[in-house]
Amino acid sequence: MILQLVIEQGLNGLQFGVTLFLMAAGLTLVFGVMDVIHLSHGSFYMMGAFLTASLGSRFDSYLIGLALAIPAVALIGMAVEWIAIRRLYQRQHLDQVLATFGLIMIFNELVRMVWGSQPIFLSPPAALAGTVEVLPGIPYPLFRLAILAAGLAVAVLLAVMIRRTRLGMRLRAGASDRAMAGALGVDIDRLFTIVFGLGAGLAALAGGMAGTVLSVQVGMGESILILAFVVVVIGGIGSIKGALVGAILVGLVDTLARTALPVALRSAMAASQADSVAASLSSTSVYLLMVLVLAWRPKGLYGART
Amino acid sequence: MAPAPELRRRLALAVLLLAALALPPVLAALGQGYYVGFAARVLIMAMAALSLDLVMGLGGMVSFGHAAFLGIGAYVVGIGSWHVFEGVPLPFGLAGSENALVVWPLAMLAAGLAALGIGAVSLRTTGIHFIMITLAFAQMLFYLAGGLKTYGGDDGITLYSRSSLGGLNLSDPFTFYYLCLGLLAAVLAAFLRLADSRFGMVLKGVRDNERRMRALGFPTYRYKLAAFTLSGAVCGLAGALLANASEFAGPAYMGWQRSGELLVMVVLGGMGSLVGAVLGAAALLILEEALAGLTQHWQLLLGALLLLLALSARRGLWGWLGGGGRHG
């Protein structure tokens, strides 16, 4: 019984962590390579979920919907970079906060105009609907495992791309010294557009997958955005490896706190009281983790730059 | 400082003050008395934005968690009132209170102490990490406030009545407005004096080059912490007023969007000028109200406007009015 709970919640935590990683990977690249605080990253996540739902129901296939939503959102991301973000590189971080705060409002309202404010539901493909036994006697939803696997696969692909390909080399060069990379012939403008599009696509993938577990609604991007920022800071700004470790850590801590705290507190106080106290305490656990990590390592786990 | 811009600055300030003084009777004459309450809320948010500009504009500390202090101030008023209404004593046998002279200073004290604690930890980091760690503390307080089951949990506390202050009737919109205006003017005057004092100079020095200030022998950490604490206390006062204005205190005041809104107000008005924070708060809230009256899709318009402003304006509204932003 205890084993079942631990494995089930551990997998839930991992799956949440993987979703967070997809968000944080884009953010940390935009942050590390382009030095832009991008608050509207959550909007790409939201649009990924909405487009997956719409296109999925039109083509009667979740996977086709997701496969179309990712490049669509990546293109939207590139357009946003080209129209607005590009003008903010030389600005203070605060101007970027102001501009991307405005972008959040624009995207939220646009989505509300197209899809309405009622949450919509996204069902996973029938082929992945059942459960499998991860250990004898311990069933787990197959689709959640698929999310976990897809997320890990993307993480590996991303790592290979950054370590082994020419684009990855340029990214690393841009992250460590933008001016020098530009002087050595890297087309910085194009690189930034690609990074932004890549980040938007990853966020759309995260949104399209998370939409099957959570409900798809306006504002869904903001709640995960803040957590993704926490992940980026814990992992160290600009570090993909840090984003992965940070995301898994945050996912596990959050899920385990949500599971373990109510049980622990119920032995100390009345059940209804314990549940609400536990809910608020477990929501703070992630932020506490970040404060502790920063106190221990002010630049995050894998951060090199200030 | 050259005399001409200084004169112009004072003139602009005097005009603003006169306009604020004349506003309620003008609104009443136009039959728009409802907006006096809204105007009071603008003044309150202006005070919160002003407190943020003290640390952000003068001290270079970009806090993304100032809504926490707003919320703490509001909760002190809310909890005091709740205990009066329910007749339940507080721990240690203390009675609840609705007396503004007790509760408002307490709100400042509580918010100030919270700022002292949060600042003590956060100020060990700088730059983007400072932004994120203040955000983290505010989010923690946001969730903790939502867990205060006795005080309504996520729904917060609806105030039974506004605070009492001597013979003043704070439920009267006019009285409340002028009280808010008086407090805001006092805070603004104090902050403007502070900005030109030795303390303010050191703070600006730290913003521009902390290492040099340290080399000159200033204990920069202590200066920054003092400014952060003062800012938190003033934001707590704004929170106490806000709880009175909307007769409500809840976690909604502490969410990160609220902190973001305060940041937007300061940047919009012109960071570091202090007066700009007041203008920015007024501009943002009035825009929201006006656009919401125009169309239900007002967020689209406001978002586009913020985006355009960020892409074009360099010194914010106060600089644009000729006040001369003082940030470097």
Side-chain angles (χ1 to χ4, degrees):
Chain A
M1 181 57 204
I2 291 288
L3 180 71
Q4 177 175 357
L5 192 72
V6 167
I7 290 186
E8 209 175 86
Q9 295 303 326
L11 283 173
N12 279 348
L14 276 180
Q15 179 236 315
F16 182 47
V18 160
T19 311
L20 274 176
F21 166 72
L22 292 176
M23 284 290 290
L27 261 187
T28 205
L29 284 179
V30 170
F31 227 173
V33 179
M34 296 158 61
D35 199 25
V36 169
I37 297 189
H38 181 223
L39 290 184
S40 44
H41 202 67
S43 301
F44 298 139
Y45 171 87
M46 171 180 69
M47 280 189 292
F50 273 98
L51 282 174
T52 303
S54 274
L55 294 168
S57 68
R58 158 154 306 191
F59 294 102
D60 212 22
S61 155
Y62 167 80
L63 287 177
I64 293 181
L66 187 61
L68 290 175
I70 294 169
V73 175
L75 281 179
I76 295 175
M78 287 168 141
V80 167
E81 194 276 343
W82 195 67
I83 293 169
I85 307 291
R86 173 161 295 197
R87 292 162 223 281
L88 293 168
Y89 295 140
Q90 304 304 325
R91 297 298 189 76
Q92 298 174 333
H93 282 150
L94 274 169
D95 284 330
Q96 298 165 355
V97 168
L98 186 66
T100 52
F101 203 79
L103 279 175
I104 293 184
M105 297 178 105
I106 295 177
F107 283 127
N108 275 347
E109 199 56 49
L110 283 177
V111 166
R112 198 174 286 133
M113 283 162 84
V114 176
W115 283 283
S117 13
Q118 292 301 317
I120 54 180
F121 294 94
L122 189 54
S123 42
L128 296 174
T131 58
V132 284
E133 294 195 351
V134 283
L135 276 180
I138 302 180
Y140 193 75
L142 182 58
F143 186 70
R144 283 181 176 248
L145 277 185
I147 291 182
L148 186 53
L152 288 176
V154 171
V156 170
L157 276 179
L158 213 56
V160 169
M161 188 207 83
I162 286 179
R163 291 268 154 248
R164 299 261 180 263
T165 67
R166 184 163 289 267
L167 176 65
M169 196 174 70
R170 289 189 175 139
L171 273 179
R172 280 180 287 136
S176 64
D177 192 331
R178 190 180 354 170
M180 184 54 88
L184 290 175
V186 176
D187 185 345
I188 293 288
D189 280 356
R190 221 183 81 202
L191 181 69
F192 284 5
T193 311
I194 292 172
V195 169
F196 213 78
L198 184 70
L202 289 175
L205 173 62
M209 293 199 306
T212 57
V213 184
L214 313 162
S215 64
V216 178
Q217 58 187 333
V218 174
M220 66 185 286
E222 275 95 276
S223 47
I224 196 163
L225 170 81
I226 297 294
L227 283 181
F229 266 114
V230 168
V231 166
V232 168
V233 169
I234 286 180
I237 293 166
S239 163
I240 290 282
K241 192 171 157 196
L244 183 61
V245 174
I248 301 287
L249 211 57
V250 166
L252 284 178
V253 165
D254 184 74
T255 309
L256 292 182
R258 264 170 225 291
T259 322
L261 270 177
V263 181
L265 285 177
R266 261 182 210 183
S267 56
M269 52 179 95
S272 67
Q273 186 107 20
D275 284 353
S276 81
V277 172
S280 71
L281 278 183
S282 53
S283 298
T284 65
S285 61
V286 168
Y287 301 99
L288 198 61
L289 174 72
M290 173 176 136
V291 170
L292 291 178
V293 166
L294 283 189
W296 174 47
R297 286 202 173 173
K299 286 171 190 170
L301 294 176
Y302 294 92
R305 305 190 324 141
T306 39
Chain B
M1 203 178 290
E6 175 65 20
L7 190 67
R8 197 166 160 188
R9 201 161 65 93
R10 288 191 178 198
L11 208 64
L13 258 177
V15 170
L16 279 176
L17 185 63
L18 278 178
L21 279 173
L23 189 66
V26 170
L27 282 175
L30 292 173
Q32 303 285 334
Y34 155 77
Y35 283 107
V36 177
F38 169 74
R41 218 164 57 84
V42 170
L43 295 176
I44 293 166
M45 289 314 287
M47 188 188 292
L50 190 56
S51 77
L52 178 59
D53 198 23
L54 181 75
V55 287
M56 199 163 99
L58 297 187
M61 298 167 263
V62 181
S63 162
F64 205 156
H66 248 55
F69 309 128
L70 198 68
I72 290 174
Y75 261 103
V76 169
V77 170
I79 289 174
S81 157
W82 187 86
H83 282 280
V84 170
F85 182 52
E86 301 284 326
V88 183
L90 281 152
F92 310 116
L94 293 170
S97 174
E98 291 197 306
N99 187 346
L101 292 178
V102 174
V103 187
W104 295 5
L106 259 180
M108 293 181 74
L109 185 70
L113 283 177
L116 183 67
I118 292 175
V121 177
S122 309
L123 286 170
R124 297 185 186 282
T125 64
T126 53
I128 185 70
H129 291 104
F130 181 78
I131 299 182
M132 297 309 300
I133 207 164
T134 46
L135 171 67
F137 276 115
Q139 288 292 99
M140 280 192 241
L141 287 170
F142 168 79
Y143 287 117
L144 287 178
L148 294 173
K149 198 90 172 165
T150 323
Y151 303 121
D154 289 326
D155 297 327
I157 313 165
T158 304
L159 260 66
Y160 165 61
S161 73
R162 289 191 176 175
S163 303
S164 59
L165 182 59
L168 294 178
N169 174 17
L170 296 190
S171 298
D172 173 47
F174 277 59
T175 313
F176 189 66
Y177 173 88
Y178 282 114
L179 181 69
C180 290
L181 181 61
L183 286 171
L184 176 65
V187 169
L188 181 61
F191 276 15
L192 284 173
R193 281 296 290 270
L194 197 67
D196 287 332
S197 71
R198 184 170 179 280
F199 179 81
M201 292 297 173
V202 174
L203 216 52
K204 283 185 257 185
V206 170
R207 174 194 67 194
D208 293 338
N209 193 339
E210 179 161 4
R211 189 183 290 180
R212 177 178 293 176
M213 292 307 281
R214 232 183 344 231
L216 286 172
F218 289 102
T220 57
Y221 177 80
R222 267 187 266 157
Y223 272 91
K224 290 197 320 192
L225 189 56
F228 198 78
T229 307
L230 175 64
S231 166
V234 170
C235 202
L237 177 61
L241 292 173
L242 186 62
N244 274 288
S246 38
E247 296 179 10
F248 169 78
Y253 289 160
M254 310 169 103
W256 74 273
Q257 287 93 340
R258 185 71 69 152
S259 295
E261 231 174 65
L262 288 175
L263 277 180
V264 168
M265 287 170 181
V266 173
V267 177
L268 188 64
M271 203 171 60
S273 62
L274 297 174
V275 188
V278 175
L279 287 180
L284 187 70
L285 291 175
I286 291 171
L287 260 177
E288 267 182 30
E289 186 77 14
L291 291 177
L294 269 180
T295 157
Q296 56 165 332
H297 302 303
W298 60 275
Q299 286 209 7
L300 187 67
L301 295 176
L302 186 61
L305 218 61
L306 288 183
L307 182 62
L308 284 178
L309 267 168
L311 292 179
S312 65
R314 290 206 161 260
R315 285 194 305 160
L317 289 174
W318 182 237
W320 179 68
L321 279 180
R326 285 199 253 172
H327 70 115

